[in-house]
Amino acid sequence: MPLPNIPGYARLNKTHKYSAAGIAAAGAAAIAFAVVPGGNADAKTTAQDLPNKPVALTSQKADAQAHHEALVKQSALADQQAKQEAAEKKAAAEAAKKKAAEEAAAKKAAEEAAAKKAAEAKAAKERAVKQAASRSATRIETVAAEKTYPDNLDGWIRESLDIMKKKGIPGTYEGIHRNIIRESGGDPRAINNWDINAQNGVPSKGLLQVIAPTFKAYHVEGTAWDAYDPVANITAACNYAADRYGSMDNVNGPY
């Protein structure tokens, strides 16, 4: 039985609570008789004439049902909103991840392109250096190949020295020039027809007075096979002097 709605009821003792309950019941009965005055017939008629209104409990149930339905709707709406927010958050995270991956790929591609460009530039520079060196060497070889000498004693000696240098034959300008002046006076057509060699049929010829057997034995490849040729004569004589005396520089008389 629900407690009467009496202020301070919970603090009353058992006797007082029974009294209060009785008083409340009596009051409720009085109200009921007051609502239906007179005899039974009038009470019947009056009861039939009362409007058919829902009792307070039905109204409370309806309110509770409406409140429950509102809560259900709010919960469903909140759940839907939470799911939508979660989906949006997930989509944003995936988009950020995709963007980061694209940026990383773009950065890597740019770095690879830069590295490739640098490598190509380095390779091109190295090729240019090699080509320049090759052109330089070619120019040097061309200049050497195109080097000319005057057709005189100075030119003959210098050309012979260049050939001797390539062949590893020792000798200096001064040593060659000194012996040429003593042997022939600088005349490439000089010939000795009176010494022992001439008497034996092999006269000394040319700038350094070389006999035929010696010229043939010590001829240097790349020169003429003519003992009167100035360059061939000087080079063969210096080759012979290097073999016998160590160098034409060491010759100071007939050899």
Side-chain angles (χ1 to χ4, degrees):
M1 175 178 172
L3 298 177
N5 188 14
I6 301 173
Y9 180 82
R11 294 191 298 272
L12 297 177
N13 57 33
K14 186 175 182 180
T15 305
H16 291 162
K17 290 180 179 179
Y18 284 137
S19 299
I23 294 170
I31 292 172
F33 281 114
V35 172
V36 188
N40 292 335
D42 293 336
K44 184 177 180 181
T45 303
T46 304
Q48 292 176 350
D49 294 338
L50 290 176
N52 187 17
K53 295 181 180 179
V55 297
L57 181 59
T58 303
S59 177
Q60 290 177 356
K61 288 183 178 180
D63 292 341
Q65 182 66 27
H67 181 67
H68 175 71
E69 293 176 355
L71 290 176
V72 171
K73 290 181 179 180
Q74 290 178 357
S75 177
L77 182 61
D79 184 58
Q80 182 180 0
Q81 185 175 359
K83 289 182 179 179
Q84 183 177 355
E85 291 177 354
E88 291 175 354
K89 185 176 181 180
K90 181 179 179 181
E94 291 177 350
K97 183 178 180 180
K98 181 179 179 181
K99 183 178 180 181
E102 291 175 349
E103 290 176 351
K107 183 179 179 181
K108 183 178 180 181
E111 290 175 350
E112 291 177 350
K116 182 179 179 181
K117 186 176 180 180
E120 291 175 349
K122 182 179 179 181
K125 185 176 180 180
E126 290 176 351
R127 285 195 301 272
V129 171
K130 289 181 180 179
Q131 290 173 357
S134 178
R135 287 194 296 269
S136 179
T138 302
R139 283 196 297 271
I140 292 173
E141 292 175 358
T142 302
V143 170
E146 294 176 354
K147 187 176 180 179
T148 58
Y149 306 90
D151 189 19
N152 54 32
L153 181 59
D154 178 73
W156 301 331
I157 295 174
R158 293 188 183 281
E159 185 174 355
S160 295
L161 284 171
D162 286 343
I163 295 172
M164 289 164 58
K165 183 177 180 181
K166 291 178 181 179
K167 302 295 183 179
I169 302 171
T172 64
Y173 185 97
E174 188 279 330
I176 296 171
H177 186 271
R178 172 168 46 82
N179 282 284
I180 287 175
I181 296 302
R182 187 190 68 252
E183 293 291 332
S184 66
D187 180 7
R189 304 298 301 179
I191 184 171
N192 186 330
N193 290 316
W194 59 86
D195 65 3
I196 188 63
N197 291 322
Q199 294 175 15
N200 292 329
V202 284
S204 302
K205 299 177 181 179
L207 292 174
L208 286 171
Q209 293 293 284
V210 182
I211 62 175
T214 301
F215 178 80
K216 291 179 180 179
Y218 290 93
H219 173 266
V220 176
E221 184 180 357
T223 63
W225 278 96
D226 183 2
Y228 285 112
D229 181 84
V231 175
N233 186 280
I234 293 171
T235 309
C238 287
N239 192 24
Y240 164 74
D243 182 47
R244 186 166 183 181
Y245 303 103
S247 172
M248 182 62 75
D249 295 348
N250 299 328
V251 178
N252 294 299
Y255 64 106

